[in-house]
Amino acid sequence: MREDMTEDAIRLRSVTRRYGSGGTSVTALDGVSLAFPRGTFTAVMGPSGSGKSTLLQCAAGLDRPTSGSVTVGGTELTTLSETGLTLLRRKRVGFVFQAFNLLPALTAEQNVALPLRLAGRRPGKAEVREVLQRVGLGDRARHRPAELSGGQQQRVALARALITRPDVLFGDEPTGALDSRTGREVLDLLRGMVDGDGQTIVMVTHDPVAAARADRVVLLVDGCVDGELTGAGAEDIAARMATLEAAPC
C-alpha cells in the first residue's frame, strides 16, 4: 500500500472547466466538488452536454481544470507537468471506453501487456495471463480482436486497464456498444472488482440499468452537481433522470 493513500481515491475541489474565451466561452464544469471513496463504484449521469465526459477527463488527468484542484491518491494533479501527468496515468489510472481501442494486429495478451511496455517494463507472461484469467479470458490469450466477440474485446480492454493495478478505473460508457446480456456480464465483472478486490470505479453512463449496479449515482446538470442517489434501482434512476431533463439547474 502506498504511503500517500487516503480515504478517498479521488477528490475534486471547486473544479471549473471553461473552453474558449470571451463571449464564446463555454463552461463545461462549474465549481464541482466531489469525493470518490476507495473501494466504491460510482456512476455519473446527466443529460447530454451536462459535463459528464469533462468530469471524467479532469478527474483522470486527461484534461486540466481552468480552476480548482484534483487529487488522485494524495497526488495533486494540477501541479504536475505534462510528463508527470503521463506517468501518473500510466501507473495509477485505468481507462475503459465504449470503443474497445484494441490494436487489431496484436493478440489479446499483447494488447494487455501494452501499457507495461509503454511504461518501460517487460511484462511477465504469467502476470498477463493472470489478469486475462481474472476477466474470464484465460483461454483467449492468443486470439486477435477480430477473433473475439464484442464482449470479449471489452474484457480484453478491462484486462489492459487492470494490468498496472490502478488506483482508479474510469469507464466512459463501457457497456454502450454491447448487447444487454453481454453488458450485464461486463457490469458483473466491474461489480466483482469492487466487492472482491476493493477496486475504485468511476463510470459515466446514460443507462439506468448500468447505473443501478453502482454504489451511488452522481447527477450532473449544466456542469454542476444536482444531487446523488444511493442504492437506487433502475426505475428510480430513470425517473430522476427525467426530472433533470425537464428542469435543469
Side-chain angles (χ1 to χ4, degrees), residues 208-209 211-217 229-238 240:
V209 173
R213 301 301 299 275
D215 300 307
R216 67 168 178 160
V217 181
L229 298 172
T230 303
E235 290 186 4
D236 290 336
I237 294 170
R240 184 72 171 87

Side-chain angles (χ1 to χ4, degrees), residues 143-167:
H143 288 64
R144 288 180 169 78
E147 301 170 311
L148 301 171
S149 68
Q152 289 171 333
Q153 290 184 60
Q154 189 61 293
R155 287 169 182 260
V156 174
L158 267 174
R160 180 183 57 192
L162 294 169
I163 191 69
T164 59
R165 305 184 186 278
D167 286 356

Side-chain angles (χ1 to χ4, degrees), residues 9-187:
I10 318 168
R11 287 196 194 120
L12 287 78
R13 295 185 181 91
S14 303
V15 169
T16 294
R17 182 64 171 105
R18 295 188 185 93
Y19 297 99
S21 59
T24 60
S25 69
V26 175
T27 301
L29 292 177
D30 191 2
V32 171
S33 293
L34 282 170
F36 299 89
R38 294 189 179 280
T40 62
F41 188 173
T42 303
V44 180
M45 301 188 77
S48 178
S50 61
K52 301 185 297 296
S53 292
T54 303
L55 174 67
L56 201 72
Q57 290 163 4
C58 287
L62 290 169
D63 194 8
R64 290 185 183 271
T66 305
S67 62
S69 69
V70 179
T71 305
V72 173
T75 300
E76 170 58 59
L77 302 193
T78 50
T79 62
L80 294 178
S81 65
E82 289 302 319
T83 299
L85 270 178
T86 298
L87 292 174
L88 180 136
R89 289 195 301 265
R90 284 181 182 173
K91 294 178 180 178
R92 300 173 66 176
V93 174
F95 302 95
V96 184
F97 301 100
Q98 180 173 337
F100 314 129
N101 295 331
L102 301 178
L103 296 181
L106 301 185
T107 64
E109 62 184 353
Q110 289 169 336
N111 268 288
V112 170
L114 197 57
L116 297 183
R117 293 191 180 280
L118 290 173
R121 281 185 54 194
R122 186 182 180 126
K125 182 167 285 192
E127 182 180 14
V128 174
R129 290 293 178 98
E130 186 275 331
V131 76
L132 278 170
Q133 190 72 41
R134 184 176 168 191
V135 299
L137 289 179
D139 59 344
R140 296 288 190 273
R142 296 184 181 276
H143 288 64
R144 288 180 169 78
E147 301 170 311
L148 301 171
S149 68
Q152 289 171 333
Q153 290 184 60
Q154 189 61 293
R155 287 169 182 260
V156 174
L158 267 174
R160 180 183 57 192
L162 294 169
I163 191 69
T164 59
R165 305 184 186 278
D167 286 356
V168 186
L169 178 64
F170 291 96
D172 193 353
E173 300 280 4
T175 60
L178 305 175
D179 61 64
S180 58
R181 181 183 63 80
T182 308
R184 283 194 301 272
E185 292 174 355
V186 170
L187 289 167

